[in-house]
Amino acid sequence: MQSAGIDLSAVIAATCRYLGIEEKELARPTRRVEIARARALISFVATRNLSISGSEVASRFNVDRSAISRANQRVSRDPELLSATKTIRRERELETNQQ
């Protein structure tokens, strides 16, 4: 699914660049804090800002839909993570405009 020319893969790539992690780390079953934060940021940007379904995000990370809802709640309650979502969106928008 795409919204305004931005798909889930693009959000994942932008988030990984921002956090300095590799995309393949997101697919691994881990509870490392930095990976959980990345998944939460991706979930929030994808579902809240780009209208990508939570089911699509859950499928990509091999988790259930409720995990995406919980991740979104964590981001919405954390000012630092909310700020990070804005930076990720801006970075992705700049990249899209340069293409």
Side-chain angles (χ1 to χ4, degrees):
M1 171 181 263
Q2 283 190 320
S3 178
I6 301 174
D7 64 10
L8 184 55
S9 295
V11 173
I12 291 170
T15 303
C16 287
R17 274 193 309 277
Y18 174 76
L19 295 174
I21 61 173
E22 293 186 36
E23 289 183 40
K24 63 184 177 185
E25 293 181 81
L26 298 173
R28 294 181 183 146
T30 182
R31 291 184 180 216
R32 287 183 21 216
V33 172
E34 59 271 12
I35 302 303
R37 288 172 58 101
R39 290 178 184 152
L41 289 168
I42 292 164
S43 298
F44 188 89
V45 172
T47 60
R48 300 273 177 98
N49 300 124
L50 302 175
S51 300
I52 296 173
S53 74
S55 298
E56 183 177 350
V57 178
S59 174
R60 185 70 175 256
F61 294 139
N62 200 27
V63 297
D64 63 18
R65 175 68 180 90
S66 66
I68 302 306
S69 294
R70 288 190 307 274
N72 286 347
Q73 289 174 355
R74 277 196 315 275
V75 172
S76 66
R77 288 188 295 236
D78 186 329
E80 182 182 337
L81 291 176
L82 274 176
S83 177
T85 65
K86 293 174 187 170
T87 302
I88 291 165
R89 284 194 327 254
R90 278 194 307 268
E91 176 184 323
R92 186 60 197 126
E93 289 169 3
L94 287 173
E95 185 177 291
T96 301
N97 290 337
Q98 291 176 355
Q99 292 177 356

